[in-house]
Amino acid sequence: MNIQHHIGDDTLMAYVNGTLPETISVVVATHLAICPECRKNVALMEDIAALYLVESEPAYHVDADPTAPDIQQLDPEIATAASTKYQTDKGVPNPLADRMPVHLEDIPWKKLIPGISHYPLSVADGSRKKGVLRLLKIAPGTPMPEHSHSGQEITMILRGSYIDDLGRFQTGDIADLDDEVWHQPVADTDKDCICLIATSAPLKFSGFFSRLLQPLVGI
Ligand SMILES: [Zn+2]
């Protein structure tokens, strides 16, 4: 897997600090399962966070356990073996597999509009104001309705690929977008593009048709 698009530093730092909504955290954890580069960044941020805690709360300073394993010192072969264990019998990495009732190939897709189906995944805090987590299946050549976000949207490609103004996104890649970005992804190969997509708040659609569509599809 040749991952070209990674998780943004702000999102990774929020993940380390435990301040991300659950929906976004699931996508981050799923990407971390297959991406040594982002795992390395997380380890670095955890080191920095630990230093900050030591400096700001000297009264609670406890020496680190010298026997604790250090992710950064893992032998590369062990690290590779660790990442292959995430290939589960549901065809996706573990943090996502835990949330899926069946294998990715057997998902009972629900049609949204021609060419686009979805499957909502449950989260502990089901309030729609906290955003949604869902699988999305886009048929080849199908454009998504153009939209931006009133919060954060993060997408991980699980199968196939898509193209938008920001480039080409293939299996394993992450699109980590804030509310500044308007984009219109188009599935670009001869097979379906399947994504895991999380929002921290409902999306904003542009155009008359999209505004009509939004309350119906709820994306
Ligand atoms: Zn990455």
Side-chain angles (χ1 to χ4, degrees), residues 3 5-7 31 35 37-38:
I3 298 171
H5 300 275
H6 297 272
I7 299 167
H31 178 78
C35 183
E37 191 171 325
C38 285

Side-chain angles (χ1 to χ4, degrees), residues 105-120:
E105 306 294 330
D106 302 320
I107 289 289
W109 296 102
K110 300 170 185 185
K111 190 171 163 186
L112 279 173
I113 53 175
I116 302 179
S117 309
H118 77 144
Y119 184 80

Side-chain angles (χ1 to χ4, degrees), residues 3-8 12 28 31-32 34-39 41 172-174:
I3 298 171
Q4 300 288 332
H5 300 275
H6 297 272
I7 299 167
L12 275 188
V28 171
H31 178 78
L32 286 175
I34 58 158
C35 183
E37 191 171 325
C38 285
R39 282 204 299 275
N41 282 344
D173 279 339
I174 285 278

Side-chain angles (χ1 to χ4, degrees), residues 88-92 100-107 159:
T88 64
D89 58 2
K90 289 185 183 159
V92 294
M100 285 170 42
V102 293
H103 192 284
L104 190 62
E105 306 294 330
D106 302 320
I107 289 289
R159 300 282 190 276

